[in-house]
Amino acid sequence: MSATVRRLALTMVLAFLAALAGVWIGCRLMTTRMQHGTEVHALLHGQVALDRQQEAALDVLEARFAVRRRALEAQMRADNAQLAAAIEREHDNGPAVAAAVDQSHRTMGALQKATLEHVFAMRRLLRPDQTAAFDRIVVRALTPAS
């Protein structure tokens, strides 16, 4: 095997491993963000004195969002499977890999937008005297201590 072929094979293997690492890191980051979303719910219920009507309305919002979040998470898993298949086929950052990455990013963006819509829907249920505490909770969830 010539040195050029060995270098090419090594480059292909490294590119494949780098792509897999990117998928893994992306999944970990999204999982961390989703856990922070759950943290917002827990902190909201624990740190903001909600009345019964607010609790009931939040329960409805949370149930509705859980369905949407699960659908988007399932789509992200499907997108990652498509990306893995494209990497396996192309062994390079070719058009199918690029398209799969773009699709994955669209789905992640849709999840982030849906999460923000949910956060603002929760905020709209609060009284003016509760919103400052809620805003602090959201900011803390988005900027965790390193």
Side-chain angles (χ1 to χ4, degrees):
M1 185 184 295
S2 74
T4 303
V5 172
R6 280 194 297 257
R7 271 195 301 267
L8 180 60
L10 178 61
T11 300
M12 289 172 55
V13 168
L14 290 175
F16 178 74
L17 292 174
L20 287 178
V23 169
W24 183 82
I25 289 167
C27 287
R28 294 293 158 230
L29 289 173
M30 287 307 298
T31 300
T32 300
R33 287 185 187 129
M34 285 182 257
Q35 288 171 346
H36 289 308
T38 305
E39 177 184 322
V40 169
H41 287 261
L43 291 172
L44 175 61
H45 289 285
Q47 294 184 13
V48 178
L50 303 171
D51 61 36
R52 285 187 182 156
Q53 186 177 5
Q54 288 173 314
E55 289 280 358
L58 281 171
D59 288 345
V60 170
L61 285 178
E62 289 172 11
R64 194 175 302 142
F65 178 65
V67 171
R68 179 77 175 126
R69 186 186 70 232
R70 280 193 299 273
L72 288 166
E73 288 169 350
Q75 183 60 52
M76 284 182 7
R77 287 189 297 278
D79 292 346
N80 285 338
Q82 289 294 92
L83 176 58
I87 289 167
E88 191 171 43
R89 276 192 318 277
E90 294 185 334
H91 302 289
D92 198 358
N93 193 16
V97 170
V101 167
D102 290 343
Q103 177 56 45
S104 176
H105 289 173
R106 281 190 295 275
T107 303
M108 284 188 253
L111 177 59
Q112 189 171 35
K113 287 176 184 178
T115 301
L116 288 172
E117 288 169 9
H118 176 61
V119 166
F120 292 126
M122 288 190 299
R123 191 179 193 279
R124 284 190 293 276
L125 296 175
L126 302 176
R127 295 185 311 267
D129 63 301
Q130 297 169 315
T131 57
F134 178 78
D135 293 345
R136 282 191 301 275
I137 290 167
V138 171
V139 168
R140 269 197 314 259
L142 290 172
T143 55
S146 310

